[in-house]
Amino acid sequence: MSNTAELSEDLVRSTLASVRTPEGVALSVSPALSGVVVTAGKVYLSINVDPAQARAWEGVRAAAEDAVKAVPGVVSALVTLTAERKMAPPAPAPQAAHGHGHGHSHGAPAPRGISVPGVASIIAVASGKGGVGKSTTSINLALALRDMGLKVGLLDADIYGPSVPRLSGVAQKPETTADGRTMIPLENFGLQLMSIGFLVEEDTPMIWRGPMVMSAISQMLKEVKWGPLDVLVVDMPPGTGDAQLTMAQQVNLAGAVIVSTPQDLALIDARRGVAMFEKVNIPILGVVENMSHFICPHCGGRSDIFGHGGAHAEADKMGVPFLGEIPLHMRIREMSDAGLPIVVSDPESPQAAAYRHVAQGVKAALDRVTSSSKQAPRIVIE
Ligand code: ADP
């Protein structure tokens, strides 16, 4: 059982030896093969190509899909061409002048990374380390934005520990569109939802190698029928390693929200998170202090058990907005575990109000960054 996924992936890769790239190389060993993900018999595979060469690669894509579908045990196969540019840090890379291929070049600067048609703004919710309440903040923030009249989606990109199924109380597998190429996001509380946790059994051990992480995330961005959405909230994998940096670089993020607790150690990690996004020129929408102070469920009394206020001071020092404080409160945890986030289950509570305050700050920051950087026309490669 433990290595079923490994076995299937190897099998899939070896099948691709029979498919040739336009240069005549076996696809199984081509560097263009950027990721293979096998979940419960479904295979997702991406081939990273130069947008100018997209037409030449279409036959390879179709041949790869046919070859994978023929592997015993494969329920469905989805092979996509992706064009994920690495961002050149100092100056924007010059636009490739060729106008052929499936994309439409308008001679405008290239978009910063993966964009999702129908989604106006993608925002990342990140933390320097796990366990600070990033996922709880993500879903309650998404719900509070929904209550402001926005159309909102939540993408659980925390593929190491997906928590959206638990937090949203949704567990079924998503359906695919009639052509089988795109997944339809699940919905609850008026939010569109997608998580790797919807695709694999909860106890399936998943071993993610570096490039697979981005491949899985990019598929959940692009091969899901999102939208139309004003905001897609992305619950990032915790930490500031390569996977997070790649994600920050390769997705056209409008901005990032950093969640921290007030403790010194968490603040050091939060600083790393801010630095990571700044390095790749993603605007920091702000910092949230979670588990800011303890509210006793019995007497309502407040204790600053972690020395509250650290994240606010740190945000001021870094020159980024401070979005607000979320108390440490039993109801937040209990409701999360019950699949009923506090903004839904107890919308009038002070805890829900704290998330609404954060959401207002996020919306204001988002309006600032989107009005200051008019988006270039997008290149879409099918
Ligand atoms: P992360 O995504 O950073 O790993 P989670 O959102 O999963 O963190 O939260 C970790 C645990 O802390 C969960 O059990 C969650 O219910 C609880 N938690 C998060 N924020 C709060 C809060 N403000 N008050 C009480 N419990 C919280």
Side-chain angles (χ1 to χ4, degrees), residues 131-136 166 290-291 326-329 332-333 336:
V132 300
K134 171 182 57 57
S135 301
T136 308
R166 174 175 51 87
N290 188 38
M291 311 192 193
I326 309 293
L328 175 65
H329 196 278
I332 295 182
R333 194 195 57 71
S336 294

Side-chain angles (χ1 to χ4, degrees), residues 47-248:
I47 306 173
N48 200 0
V49 301
D50 176 347
Q53 304 293 321
R55 195 157 284 166
W57 278 89
E58 173 50 31
V60 180
R61 190 202 63 74
E65 209 164 74
D66 289 346
V68 173
K69 277 183 185 152
V71 175
V74 170
V75 180
S76 65
L78 192 60
V79 181
T80 54
L81 298 183
T82 59
E84 292 157 16
R85 293 158 195 276
K86 283 244 177 337
M87 213 176 69
Q95 171 77 29
H98 320 287
H100 37 263
H102 287 217
H104 304 287
S105 168
H106 297 268
R112 191 162 52 196
I114 301 171
S115 295
V116 183
V119 176
S121 302
I122 307 175
I123 62 175
V125 177
S127 63
K129 63 169 190 176
V132 300
K134 171 182 57 57
S135 301
T136 308
T137 305
S138 299
I139 193 162
N140 283 293
L141 168 64
L143 289 163
L145 288 168
R146 171 207 70 173
D147 288 346
M148 293 167 73
L150 301 179
K151 287 221 169 336
V152 185
L154 176 62
L155 168 60
D156 185 1
D158 187 352
I159 49 139
Y160 302 108
S163 43
V164 164
R166 174 175 51 87
L167 293 175
S168 65
V170 171
Q172 73 264 34
K173 296 226 184 313
E175 310 220 319
T176 48
T177 51
D179 62 3
R181 308 195 121 258
T182 317
M183 283 183 282
I184 299 167
L186 295 170
E187 286 210 38
N188 203 9
F189 317 125
L191 298 180
Q192 293 185 5
L193 304 165
M194 183 50 65
S195 167
I196 197 85
F198 297 149
L199 305 174
V200 295
E201 300 305 327
E202 209 171 308
D203 55 359
T204 305
M206 278 189 285
I207 302 155
W208 294 97
R209 295 191 210 103
M212 287 170 62
V213 174
M214 192 55 217
S215 164
I217 294 172
S218 97
Q219 280 165 355
M220 289 197 293
L221 282 165
K222 294 189 302 185
E223 287 152 31
V224 170
K225 204 172 182 319
W226 293 109
L229 294 178
D230 297 305
V231 181
L232 179 61
V233 176
V234 179
D235 181 5
M236 293 273 287
T240 50
D242 284 349
Q244 292 79 2
L245 183 63
T246 308
M247 163 96 191

Side-chain angles (χ1 to χ4, degrees), residues 31-56:
L33 182 61
S34 64
V36 178
V37 174
V38 180
T39 58
K42 295 181 182 170
V43 178
Y44 304 93
L45 205 145
S46 61
I47 306 173
N48 200 0
V49 301
D50 176 347
Q53 304 293 321
R55 195 157 284 166

